[in-house]
Amino acid sequence: MYLFKVGLEDADKLGSSIGGVAAVAALLAPYLLPRREEAAVPDEVVVEDSGDADATGGGEANTGAETVDGDTGTVRVTRSGNAVADGPGSVANTGVRRRPRT
């Protein structure tokens, strides 16, 4: 109603001014408002560039990561080495192995 009373010319000037102030505020907001803290990754296990491992005679070879079922942390394995199992009961792992909780 106010803009109708002041006339088209004044209403146009006022609307342009309000739009300009809103645009400047939008450009400055990221710099003036506090940043959100990035969520930290709790209990992250990282395996990178691990070496080779051999298991024989029922042994275990692990070039990745081994965790217990129910762990809430994240596990990441990249560029793991070769794991070779030779013989009955031998186990080899190059990635992520989850064991049951005992």
Side-chain angles (χ1 to χ4, degrees):
M1 193 69 182
Y2 170 78
L3 297 178
F4 180 74
K5 287 183 182 179
V6 296
L8 290 178
E9 189 175 327
D10 289 339
D12 183 43
K13 289 178 186 175
L14 183 61
S16 295
S17 298
I18 292 172
V21 169
V24 170
L27 290 173
L28 294 177
Y31 302 103
L32 299 176
L33 297 176
R35 291 184 178 195
R36 282 188 278 164
E37 293 185 24
E38 293 184 23
V41 179
D43 302 328
E44 182 179 25
V45 175
V46 178
V47 177
E48 292 180 338
D49 298 319
S50 61
D52 296 339
D54 296 323
T56 58
E60 295 185 10
N62 187 1
T63 64
E66 190 171 298
T67 64
V68 178
D69 280 340
D71 284 350
T72 58
T74 60
V75 181
R76 181 169 42 102
V77 178
T78 58
R79 298 181 305 274
S80 63
N82 296 320
V84 178
D86 184 26
S90 299
V91 178
N93 176 40
T94 63
V96 177
R97 182 177 181 192
R98 301 245 185 223
R99 289 186 173 260
R101 200 174 284 279
T102 56

